[in-house]
Structures are given as C-alpha cells and as structure tokens.
Amino acid sequence: FSPPSPSSTREVEAEESVNYELGWRHRGTAVTAELVAFFNDYDNLLGSDTLSTGGQGTGDQFNGGAAAVSGLEASLAVELPPVSGVRLPARLSYTHTRARFRSDFATGFSDWAPRVERGDALPYIPTHQLHAGLSAVGERWAAHLDTSYSGAMRTRAGRGPIPRRESIDARLLVDLKVEVALSARLR
C-alpha cells in the first residue's frame, strides 16, 4: 500500500499490491547459492512525474491500473582456493524480470501516455540484469573487480522492439576498487 501524495488530485488512488516470493537458499562453508521467484500483483500502480524519469518534475501522480511484475533471481557466491594466503571470493547474480500492464487506460503521464494497452511493458525495468565480481583480499589490503550489465529498457510503455527514441541502451559498468589498511581504524 502506498497512499497518493497530499498534493494529488482526487482522481489519484492509492497504490496497492500483493507481493509473493518463493525461494531456495544454500549456505555452505565455501559456497552460497540462492534462487528466488517473485510476483508483484498491482491493483493500481502509481506513476510520478519526476525529473529523473524525464518528466517536468511536478511530482504529480497518475493511476496506472493493474500491473504484474514477475521474475527470477539467482545468485552464487564462492570462496575460491586462496593463492599465497590471499582470499579470492567470487560473486555472480542474474535477474530476469517481466513487467506488464494488465489493464487498458488513457493517461496524461508522459512515461505511459497517451494510451496504455493490456500487455504493454512497464518503462524503466530491464528484462536482464547480470552482476559478476571477484575480490582479492590480503591481510592489509583488498582489490575488488565488479561488473554489472543491464539490458536495454523502455522510457515509455509499449510492446515489441523498443523505438530508438524511447530506449535506454544496454550498459556494462566495470568498477575496480582497491583499499589499504593504514591503521586498525583507517582504510
């Protein structure tokens, strides 16, 4: 449940959803694994006009009707055999998401406008997300290499191939961090 903001018009209804998750988890000494299926069932999804989503930043809210967001998350963390006393933890995770409107409606909200049809994909939710990381951890130092991939996503509700002007391209982010212990309290 998410109430509409105090400045909303009377037509804006509260966001209501029921969220379900079913998962499996294994925790071992060197391996941790998880697999989770999820389903979020929205009776009324709220949209907000914000600058961060390309809107005017008015904060106005809009009814989005029924929607369903479902998917599968899988993760694996492994402590690889140490090399010369250096620990080597590795991580891998993947999320597949399907997000669709389940009702037809007309709206003035630019991310959904002007018309949404049952089956249209929700904007700003990529179908595929992948993360992989490897760390080298010594006694007084550590280095972490992390990569994150996010598939292309829509900026407006729709279906089929994403039009170029309504797309955020897939992206790969590579992050390298190094830390050194300068003292017991400062890294």
Side-chain angles (χ1 to χ4, degrees), residues 95-182:
T95 303
H96 180 273
T97 307
R98 178 172 161 53
R100 300 287 184 265
F101 285 100
R102 295 185 318 147
S103 57
D104 301 334
F105 61 93
T107 180
F109 184 36
S110 62
D111 289 352
W112 300 339
R115 178 113 187 107
V116 170
E117 296 179 359
R118 180 184 178 98
D120 283 353
L122 273 72
Y124 299 105
I125 301 177
T127 300
H128 304 283
Q129 296 179 80
L130 178 68
H131 173 83
L134 177 65
S135 297
V137 182
E139 188 175 319
R140 297 181 49 87
W141 61 274
H144 311 279
L145 176 63
D146 289 292
T147 58
S148 296
Y149 168 82
S150 181
M153 63 184 113
R154 299 177 167 281
T155 60
R156 291 182 65 145
R159 64 179 75 202
I162 305 173
R164 180 77 190 126
R165 69 183 191 288
E166 296 176 6
S167 173
I168 295 175
D169 293 338
R171 65 188 179 282
L172 178 68
L173 175 66
V174 179
D175 184 25
L176 176 63
K177 300 173 280 209
V178 177
E179 57 185 273
V180 176
L182 299 176

Side-chain angles (χ1 to χ4, degrees), residues 36-138:
V36 177
F38 60 90
F39 179 72
N40 301 332
D41 184 12
Y42 290 88
D43 287 333
N44 182 55
L45 179 69
L46 281 181
S48 297
D49 178 23
T50 63
L51 291 172
S52 63
T53 59
Q56 300 299 312
T58 63
D60 291 346
Q61 292 186 308
F62 300 87
N63 294 319
V69 179
S70 60
L72 188 66
E73 298 177 343
S75 65
L76 177 68
V78 178
E79 185 75 30
L80 300 172
V83 175
S84 300
V86 175
R87 289 184 39 245
L88 298 171
R91 303 155 305 284
L92 181 66
S93 64
Y94 171 75
T95 303
H96 180 273
T97 307
R98 178 172 161 53
R100 300 287 184 265
F101 285 100
R102 295 185 318 147
S103 57
D104 301 334
F105 61 93
T107 180
F109 184 36
S110 62
D111 289 352
W112 300 339
R115 178 113 187 107
V116 170
E117 296 179 359
R118 180 184 178 98
D120 283 353
L122 273 72
Y124 299 105
I125 301 177
T127 300
H128 304 283
Q129 296 179 80
L130 178 68
H131 173 83
L134 177 65
S135 297
V137 182

